Amino acid sequence: MKKLTALLLALVMVFALAACGSSNSAPAAEGSAAEEAAAPADMKVGFIFLHDENSTYDLNFMNAAKDACEAEGVEAIIKTNVPEGQECYETAAELVDAGCSIVFADSFGHEDYMIQAAKEFPEVQFCHATGTKAHTEGLDNYHNAFASIYEGRFLAGVAAGMKLNEMIEAGEFTADEAKIGYVGAFTYAEVISGYTSFFLGARSVCPTATMDVTFTGSWYDEAAEKEAATKLIEGGCKLISQHADSMGAPTACETAGVPDVSYNGSTVDACPNTFIVSSRIDWTPYMVYMIECVKNGIAIDADWTGTLETGSVVLTEVNEGAAAAGTAGAIADVGAKLENGELHVFDVSTFTVDGKTLDSYMADVDTDEAFEGDTEVVADGYFHESEFRSAPYFDVQIDGITLLDTSF
């Protein structure tokens, strides 16, 4: 998306100024640093990205940063290829020295170094995507953000299931051979939540679907991701998806003629014959929100969760040349049910764990040294993902999904 639409921007402004928060966020304390600080007329926002534009993950953030800053009339200072180490703190400090009122980082491993910087520079707001510690750190100037991307992955899974059904009906394979392959980076809750929601979406329309998952141990390793996808295809997988950031898996699919559901952006130009659809988080609403909060002296939520409603969870256009007939309409229908609460991705009646219904689960929501479950998250018939903090904590291994390795 090159420019914000007038409608999206108007909605975001309403959320920022009227609500300036999300349902799972702690209320801001009076007299906080954010409330007391006034944004300078020549406001600058600093961005720390793990990779550069060659990573679909980082490119998605870069585009949002540029769109939000352009819309808000502020200067963006972008730093790329910043490792998940002390270099992150050093870069954050450089951005503070450059006059940034907000510093934003995009990778999970940046968190401790962002917290270090937040403690040293209390007059600057530090915002971090995918992190887990803001709600327990209790810093007025440190904030986490994520989105209910599991809903987007579920919708992408619906598209995958429809494609499997189409191929079954065409006689390409039998219903009991409807196996999906999935290339994941690590065995983190974020990845588990993602591949599980994708699988549940697929199985909601293709009930015989199963899925094999393999991991690369890296968010961005094109050779490893391509090799992983190739092995999944050779192992009988009829469709591939991913939670890794390169073109490795899509390229393997195009070469083999196997349908592919990518992540973080369309790959239709490079893979016109196999790309079906992609889900992604649009970070523009959050970035507009954080800038608006600072401009108006309003505290940024400790945990902010974007949704379908806020325009934070989006899908690309469906590639009609590869997708099953009616896919776009089905995605719209299911998306409406997710948005109005009629449907829940992790409805416990739709899956089992070791053959049993999941009727209770203590999730590790509060990040601490114990690494133990601390919050009951199953209620009202579903697992409440990303409602007690923004970052995912669904780490349940459900039936129907086979992990080919758990080394990472």
Side-chain angles (χ1 to χ4, degrees), residues 27-58:
E30 291 186 11
S32 69
E35 291 173 323
E36 295 172 355
D42 57 345
M43 182 175 173
K44 300 175 184 178
V45 182
F47 295 93
I48 296 173
F49 298 132
L50 180 61
H51 300 113
D52 55 27
E53 63 277 359
N54 292 308
S55 161
T56 55
Y57 176 81
D58 294 275

Side-chain angles (χ1 to χ4, degrees), residues 178-193:
K179 184 167 65 171
I180 299 167
Y182 197 98
V183 179
F186 295 95
T187 54
Y188 298 160
E190 180 183 345
V191 180
I192 297 170
S193 177

Side-chain angles (χ1 to χ4, degrees), residues 17-18 44 51 72 83 129 174 185 202 207 253 269 285 299 340 348 350 354 383:
L17 294 175
K44 300 175 184 178
H51 300 113
E72 289 295 305
T174 61
C253 289
D269 290 342
N340 66 24
V348 295
T350 64
D354 296 328
F383 186 110

